[in-house]
Amino acid sequence: MDPSQSFNQPPGAWNSSEKSAMLYPSAPPPPYQANPAGYPPSFPSQPFPQGPYAQGPYPGQPVVAVQPAVFVTGTPLASQVPDYLGYSIFTMLCCCFPLGIAALIFSCSARNANYSGQRELAESNSKTALNLNHAAIGIGLIVIVLLIIVNIVL
């Protein structure tokens, strides 16, 4: 490699007027032609109608018809099942955190099932949340009683 040429320097035969001639040509570009040479004046007629669902102009190619999407939404229940959300929050914060979290999840699921109109799922989740809340209260009371007994005896 030639030490006189550096990567930061342009080559020795560099002419800056060539660069400006490339950026600013002296001759204007050719005028716009409506029909360039070799192209037909208009598009040929298509052998098949091009609808919004047609797949192509090739003969024998099947046309795919897309069915519209149907969304079915349920209406909220007229008489909603209790979700025990407040009870679940209380047991989570005051009694037994792990069972309270599980009860909170089932309470939220029961509320969602109520709003989507799924009565059986709402009843099932509500019953599970209530049983978990009762178990959390029982475990919390047992732990509190044991802590009081241990503190008094020791």
Side-chain angles (χ1 to χ4, degrees):
M1 177 164 198
D2 186 13
S4 65
Q5 291 183 352
S6 172
F7 291 112
N8 297 332
Q9 299 289 332
W14 180 261
N15 186 357
S16 63
S17 64
E18 290 177 8
K19 180 179 178 184
S20 63
M22 285 190 285
L23 290 177
Y24 306 107
S26 60
Y32 174 75
Q33 297 176 359
N35 248 350
Y39 291 103
S42 65
F43 292 106
S45 62
Q46 297 290 328
F48 296 104
Q50 293 295 314
Y53 301 111
Q55 288 294 315
Y58 301 110
Q61 184 177 7
V63 176
V64 177
V66 178
Q67 295 293 323
V70 177
F71 297 101
V72 178
T73 58
T75 58
L77 296 174
S79 60
Q80 294 188 349
V81 177
D83 55 10
Y84 304 109
L85 187 63
Y87 192 20
S88 298
I89 292 172
F90 172 76
T91 57
M92 179 184 69
L93 296 176
C94 298
C95 299
C96 183
F97 188 73
L99 287 179
I101 289 285
L104 183 68
I105 290 170
F106 279 101
S107 294
C108 291
S109 296
R111 179 171 281 196
N112 290 339
N114 273 333
Y115 288 140
S116 64
Q118 300 172 344
R119 184 175 251 340
E120 294 82 18
L121 183 62
E123 288 173 351
S124 171
N125 288 335
S126 174
K127 184 177 178 182
T128 305
L130 184 63
N131 289 337
L132 287 171
N133 283 326
H134 288 331
I137 290 285
I139 290 173
L141 287 175
I142 290 171
V143 168
I144 289 172
V145 168
L146 287 176
L147 285 174
I148 290 173
I149 291 173
V150 167
N151 284 336
I152 291 176
V153 172
L154 296 174

